[in-house]
């Protein structure tokens, strides 16, 4: 019996071509919550970003954010956190301060970029998000970096980070996160808190940083618009986010 679903946001819950959450997905989530199924966000985004997205009609019971590095309950109380280690922070700060490649620093309470160019504007437009503000690092704990570059280029720029992994979430942007985090690890902590077993969860995603949670979940679902590697790792491939994929998967597995 499925007791919780974990949802990636971009390309899974939000259809950016439509400018928001498809109506079928929103009503489906309302229905499964009424049936007692918990709904969690599981995203590479910061909680501050989620508040700026068209998610006002979706109720979440908790949040796995920053690819599992900060997990919050439904009231945004901290459940667990994993920061990037100092050696990797120092390496990335050097890249940040060089200002040759756009890099975002993500802290617990803010996120900011070293400089903005057309590359950044193009990527942010594709995910229906404002361009990050330009800022200066002041010594706070860092949980994530975002490099605006293709993955191959990002690996050349920052590939010697011993304690981090680099995963793409857009053809022209990647996240740099701790190897000790990941969506699957974040979800494990969440279900421990809520008393839910691994085989009682479903996870939905479409990108590289969703693979570990799709493999971890009792049922891992790839969206029809997902990358091919994500589809290969999933238990089930549903329809495109723009074609009622979320609702169709719920119906297929008897949640609706």
């Amino acid at each position: 019996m499925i007791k919780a679903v974990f949802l990636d946001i971009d390309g899974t819950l939000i259809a950016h071509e439509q400018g928001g959450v498809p109506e079928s997905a929103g009503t489906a989530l309302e229905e499964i919550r009424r049936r007692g199924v918990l709904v969690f966000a599981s995203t590479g985004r910061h909680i501050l970003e989620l508040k700026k997205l068209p998610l006002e009609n979706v109720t979440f019971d908790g949040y796995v954010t920053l690819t599992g590095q900060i997990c919050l309950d439904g009231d945004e109380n901290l459940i667990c956190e994993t920061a990037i280690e100092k050696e990797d922070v120092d390496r990335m700060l050097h890249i940040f301060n060089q200002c040759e490649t756009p890099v975002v620093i993500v802290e617990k309470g803010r996120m900011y970029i070293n400089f903005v160019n057309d590359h950044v504007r193009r990527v942010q437009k594709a995910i229906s998000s404002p361009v990050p503000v330009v800022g200066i690092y002041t010594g706070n704990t860092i949980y994530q970096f975002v490099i605006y570059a293709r993955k191959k280029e990002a690996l050349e720029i920052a590939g010697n980070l011993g304690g981090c992994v680099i995963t793409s979430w857009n053809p022209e942007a990647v996240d740099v996160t701790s190897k000790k985090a990941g969506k699957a690890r974040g979800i494990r902590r969440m279900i421990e808190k809520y008393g839910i077993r691994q085989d009682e969860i479903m996870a939905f995603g479409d990108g590289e940083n969703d693979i570990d949670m799709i493999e971890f979940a009792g049922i891992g679902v790839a969206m029809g618009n997902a990358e091919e590697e994500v589809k290969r790792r999933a238990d089930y491939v549903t329809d495109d986010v723009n074609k009622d994929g979320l609702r169709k998967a719920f119906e297929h597995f008897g949640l609706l």
Side-chain angles (χ1 to χ4, degrees):
M1 177 181 175
I2 296 300
K3 294 184 178 180
V5 297
F6 288 82
L7 304 168
D8 174 53
I9 300 298
D10 300 286
T12 298
L13 182 55
I14 292 181
H16 290 290
E17 298 87 344
Q18 297 184 28
V21 178
E23 183 178 356
S24 65
T27 57
L29 291 174
E30 290 177 6
E31 290 177 40
I32 67 169
R33 289 192 80 249
R34 283 198 296 268
R35 296 185 177 201
V37 178
L38 300 179
V39 174
F40 297 90
S42 186
T43 176
R45 287 188 183 259
H46 196 290
I47 189 69
L48 296 175
E49 292 183 281
L50 296 185
K51 294 177 180 180
K52 297 178 182 178
L53 291 173
L55 293 167
E56 58 276 359
N57 294 325
V58 179
T59 300
F60 292 109
D61 296 290
Y63 306 86
V64 176
T65 70
L66 302 180
T67 318
Q69 296 199 135
I70 296 181
C71 298
L72 310 166
D73 68 16
D75 295 320
E76 299 180 25
N77 298 309
L78 183 67
I79 293 175
C80 64
E81 61 183 332
T82 305
I84 295 178
E85 296 178 356
K86 184 180 185 304
E87 183 175 347
D88 291 331
V89 165
D90 290 344
R91 166 63 179 156
M92 285 302 304
L93 285 176
H94 176 72
I95 297 169
F96 180 88
N97 292 327
Q98 280 183 316
C99 287
E100 294 178 357
T101 302
V103 176
V104 168
I105 289 177
V106 183
E107 301 173 0
K108 185 175 291 185
R110 70 176 185 137
M111 51 192 302
Y112 50 94
I113 196 168
N114 52 354
F115 73 97
V116 175
N117 59 15
D118 288 342
H119 184 161
V120 175
R121 296 186 186 95
R122 182 171 61 251
V123 171
Q124 293 301 110
K125 182 178 180 180
I127 59 170
S128 307
S129 296
V131 172
V133 298
V134 174
I136 298 172
Y137 178 62
T138 57
N140 294 327
T141 300
I142 296 176
Y143 294 86
Q144 185 183 75
F145 292 93
V146 179
I147 303 175
Y148 287 84
R150 294 182 179 276
K151 187 173 182 180
K152 181 180 179 181
E153 298 166 357
L155 288 169
E156 293 173 354
I157 294 168
N160 60 346
L161 302 175
C164 289
V165 293
I166 296 176
T167 54
S168 60
W169 51 268
N170 178 280
E172 299 182 271
V174 303
D175 287 336
V176 178
T177 54
S178 171
K179 285 182 178 178
K180 296 179 180 179
K183 290 188 177 184
R185 286 190 174 95
I187 290 172
R188 183 182 291 279
R189 294 293 299 275
M190 294 292 278
I191 63 176
E192 287 173 356
K193 175 178 174 59
Y194 287 88
I196 298 170
R197 299 196 312 268
Q198 184 177 349
D199 63 351
E200 294 175 327
I201 67 173
M202 293 179 69
F204 292 75
D206 70 310
E208 181 183 9
N209 67 353
D210 298 318
I211 290 175
D212 68 334
M213 74 166 178
I214 283 174
E215 292 186 323
F216 175 80
I219 300 174
V221 180
M223 304 303 290
N225 49 283
E227 298 173 11
E228 289 305 312
E229 183 62 21
V230 180
K231 292 179 180 179
R232 283 193 289 270
R233 305 288 189 93
D235 299 303
Y236 179 73
V237 179
T238 188
D239 213 332
D240 192 287
V241 64
N242 294 297
K243 298 178 180 178
D244 305 330
L246 203 62
R247 184 175 191 92
K248 290 175 180 177
F250 290 156
E251 291 173 346
H252 176 80
F253 287 102
L255 273 70
L256 294 175

